[in-house]
Amino acid sequence: MKKLLLSLILLVSFFGNAQIFDPVKWKTKVVQKSDTEYELVMDATIDSEWHIYSQYTPDGGAQPASFEYKDAKGNYKLVGKTVEGPYKKVFNDIFEVDEYYFAKTAQFKQVIKITNPKLKEVKVYIEYQACKEQCIQQDKTFTFVIPENKIVATVDTNEAIQATEQAVLTSNNSDTTAVEKVVASQDNSKVKKDKKAGKKDKAVNVWVLFLGTLIAGLLVTFTPCVFPMIPMTVSFFLKQSAKGDKKKGRNNALMYGFFIVFIYVLISLPFHIFQSLSPDIFYEISTNPYLNIFFFIVFVVFAISFLGAFEITIPSSLANKVDSASNKGGFVGIFFMALTLIIVSFSCTGPALGAVIGGVLSTDGGATLLTIAMLGFGLGLAFPFMMFALFPSMMGNLPKSGGWLNTVKVVFGFIELALAFKFLSMADLVMDWHILERETFIAVWITLFAGLALYLFGKITLPHDSPLTHLSVGRLLLALLSLAFTIYLIPGLWGAPLNLISGFPPPMSYSESPHGVGYKNMQLTTNGTTSELPDLASYGPHNIVTFHNYDDGLAYAKKVNKPVMIDFTGKTCVNCRRMEEKVWSLPQILPILKGDIVLISLYVDDRTPLPKAEIYETPNGKTIDTYGKKWSDFSITKYKANIQPYYILMDHDEENLNEPVGYTPDVEEYKTWLQEGIANFKK
């Protein structure tokens, strides 16, 4: 009787506290652009402290928004991609990726061209993730009414909005939207304000990129193709100063450096045109596996060139024409002098330049970041020429040319070859080929940096190397650094995290042995003995035995007479991972999860299709066709909650043992909750 009374009290308490969160309110409208083209506009108002993610947020982090335009075939065509407003970019230390999200407001637009004149409505299905302390998997279906009158009315924008805009909240039941027949664009002052705020978030990354490419430009000056050019070029400007025209010599030196920078910036300008034609081109490049393979091949070719197998050069006829043009006087001659340097030194700067362009193009940074990268690279290359021309007395501090220049070039070759495998890894991850899993990637890097160490110690010689009579201090230190890095990488083959290169190798889950080499299908019990992993279970975080099917987990709990802990979670849920890493791993909590409960983790964003026999529709018409949707619907219908993480302790009759909790970073509070539920189970 007491147990029944306790269960009733807890059940009432639970339903009094559980709630369905809906932190995002939507308004939709149709804007007629022409006789056959319409713009579908979806405006989101997001509750304070909540945010939703961009459709372009990188893989490996939170779930991006996705749009599905229903019944398009034969009725309408999409004109371009879904356009979204400016987002914020923030680094997530849990997933170790940048994430793009919207706070307070978000807007998505899609232009369509009607091909069926009888079309009356367009349905758009959207999936997204809303997060605060918990995350919520949400989906909506919007119904846009297409007007019968397809003649565009040219009217004042503000009047048209006030007279015709009747935007309504939508739900899974699909409400309709009003039509706004306007041609003039809306006021974009708010968009400009949001862009200004977004620039602040990107400032740090821009400076890191600029400084990195500036250093790269400085380093390539210490190569056989560039370094000898410094005294030759400086002597040209010194001759002008010697003739008594010191001011002219200094000005020409500055213009020479300016033109070097100008030419490199000029190389980036076509990418601005590409981006204007296709705003998503950089995102497509960064995620396209075949382009990543192309970058891999280019980097390998450049690296082999640096190692001395061959030289990548511009045709000599072009170089000769440019060199002859440099004899012209004035700024034109100086411009062609700068162009001659860039062409002649291409065999050394080309691979480094390819690394800069490929590195930026493989991100979503856009043409602006590419221009900043080229600006930094050009400044780095031009700086020594300008500095020594302006201050010739410093020339005496320059080291003499020699075999060390080729050594620098070879070191670049090893590093570029290592970076090439990052592009191959990205393609492999996207296509799920499992060709370059974590162990293979790390083994390749161990081989390359061990080879670099041997080369620097003089145990390996390559073409164009000078005889090595002794090790310079700099070469010895670099060799020791490469050897130390090689030794650091070795434990990664057995599952070490390798935080120094986090983000470069594939994740631990993309591995031949995700639990480490020597792993066996056994678990350590609380009394120190081992036992086999139960059927239909797997190892979750910290090797906790985990079921991913509700019925399988409940059946096992009955067999071993332990309470069940349901963990409504998500693969892209930040605070779910934070709970697992910061709370579950602690010695106060981990033994309880391993020994006293049966864990059932249900991923609400699992897109694995359900068997056809298990597909069903909810009373409001939503089709449940994936495991993620099934567990999300289960959470909503049974527990009246749609947040993640969400934890429930229950007995074998599927009755709650205490009040469910969400994100609980307080370790003692979470421990008390676990102990309370387990104690109630034992009564």
Side-chain angles (χ1 to χ4, degrees), residues 13 56 95 111 124 155-156 221 273 305 311 323 326 340 418 495 498 561 588 594 616:
S13 173
Y56 301 124
F95 292 125
V111 176
V124 181
V155 296
D156 178 74
T221 61
I273 299 173
S305 171
E311 285 193 2
D323 185 45
S326 67
T340 301
L498 303 181
N561 194 32
Q588 306 97 301
K594 281 191 171 185
Y616 67 94

Side-chain angles (χ1 to χ4, degrees), residues 110-403:
Q110 176 64 57
V111 176
I112 63 170
K113 185 173 184 179
I114 304 298
T115 57
N116 177 11
K118 297 181 180 180
L119 183 67
K120 295 183 177 180
E121 63 182 30
V122 173
K123 290 189 175 183
V124 181
Y125 175 73
I126 173 176
E127 280 188 293
Y128 59 95
Q129 187 179 68
C131 290
K132 185 183 174 184
E133 287 187 345
Q134 293 90 10
C135 290
I136 302 172
Q137 298 301 125
Q138 298 243 271
D139 57 11
K140 305 284 183 182
T141 300
F142 305 126
T143 301
F144 295 87
V145 175
I146 305 300
E148 295 182 5
N149 179 16
K150 298 186 173 59
I151 300 175
V152 179
T154 306
V155 296
D156 178 74
T157 305
N158 294 328
E159 291 180 2
I161 293 174
Q162 293 173 4
T164 64
E165 185 178 341
Q166 300 174 7
V168 295
L169 295 179
T170 63
S171 67
N172 288 330
N173 290 359
S174 308
D175 297 322
T176 59
T177 61
V179 181
E180 180 185 353
K181 295 185 178 180
V182 295
V183 178
S185 62
Q186 300 180 35
D187 175 47
N188 61 354
S189 60
K190 183 178 183 302
V191 173
K192 290 180 180 178
K193 185 178 179 182
D194 289 341
K195 284 183 178 178
K196 197 176 291 184
K199 287 179 182 178
K200 293 180 181 178
D201 294 330
K202 296 180 180 180
V204 175
N205 289 334
V206 168
W207 277 110
V208 169
L209 174 67
F210 176 76
L211 291 175
T213 52
L214 179 68
I215 293 171
L218 284 169
L219 289 177
V220 296
T221 61
F222 295 99
T223 55
C225 317
V226 182
F227 191 79
M229 298 285 288
I230 296 176
M232 293 172 57
T233 306
V234 170
S235 64
F236 172 81
F237 296 113
L238 290 180
K239 287 178 182 178
Q240 291 182 333
S241 298
K243 293 177 181 179
D245 197 352
K246 293 184 177 180
K247 183 177 180 181
K248 182 180 178 182
R250 286 195 297 267
N251 289 341
N252 287 346
L254 291 174
M255 286 305 302
Y256 180 76
F258 168 78
F259 281 130
I260 291 175
V261 177
F262 175 75
I263 292 169
Y264 277 113
V265 170
L266 203 63
I267 295 172
S268 71
L269 295 186
F271 293 95
H272 288 267
I273 299 173
F274 301 150
Q275 189 175 30
S276 65
L277 296 174
S278 176
D280 303 323
I281 188 170
F282 282 83
Y283 175 76
E284 293 171 357
I285 289 173
S286 66
T287 57
N288 188 297
Y290 301 105
L291 284 174
N292 275 294
I293 291 173
F294 171 75
F295 287 136
F296 165 73
I297 295 171
V298 169
F299 269 51
V300 169
V301 171
F302 280 155
I304 294 174
S305 171
F306 262 166
L307 294 176
F310 52 83
E311 285 193 2
I312 302 173
T313 58
I314 299 291
S316 58
S317 58
L318 176 62
N320 292 333
K321 287 181 181 179
V322 174
D323 185 45
S324 61
S326 67
N327 294 324
K328 297 180 180 180
F331 289 159
V332 174
I334 296 173
F335 172 82
F336 282 104
M337 278 185 64
L339 186 58
T340 301
L341 169 72
I342 291 171
I343 291 174
V344 171
S345 63
F346 181 78
S347 61
C348 292
T349 61
L353 187 62
V356 171
I357 296 176
V360 176
L361 291 183
S362 66
T363 70
D364 67 318
T368 302
L369 284 189
L370 180 60
T371 299
I372 292 171
M374 298 300 282
L375 174 66
F377 187 83
L379 279 173
L381 182 63
F383 180 75
F385 291 91
M386 292 188 294
M387 183 184 68
F388 289 119
L390 292 174
F391 305 102
S393 61
M394 297 178 64
M395 286 283 292
N397 297 324
L398 274 178
K400 294 182 179 180
S401 299

Side-chain angles (χ1 to χ4, degrees), residues 570-588:
K571 296 178 181 179
T572 57
C573 170
V574 175
N575 282 332
C576 301
R577 301 294 85 75
R578 188 169 279 117
M579 282 292 294
E580 293 164 4
E581 293 183 13
K582 308 292 186 183
V583 178
W584 287 15
S585 62
L586 297 178
Q588 306 97 301

Side-chain angles (χ1 to χ4, degrees), residues 12-87:
V12 170
S13 173
F14 166 62
F15 282 111
N17 287 279
Q19 55 181 310
I20 302 296
F21 287 93
D22 191 10
V24 185
K25 308 298 186 296
W26 291 90
K27 291 183 179 181
T28 60
K29 63 185 176 185
V30 178
V31 179
Q32 188 171 350
K33 310 289 286 185
S34 70
D35 289 355
T36 57
E37 288 190 345
Y38 295 83
E39 186 175 61
L40 312 180
V41 183
M42 294 157 276
D43 287 302
T45 302
I46 307 167
D47 288 354
S48 177
E49 298 183 18
W50 288 83
H51 52 268
I52 64 175
Y53 294 92
S54 161
Q55 59 190 319
Y56 301 124
T57 195
D59 294 336
Q63 178 182 327
S66 63
F67 299 84
E68 182 181 350
Y69 296 86
K70 301 285 188 178
D71 302 320
K73 188 175 182 180
N75 291 312
Y76 61 92
K77 294 180 180 179
L78 302 182
V79 181
K81 293 190 175 183
T82 302
V83 178
E84 59 184 39
Y87 50 71

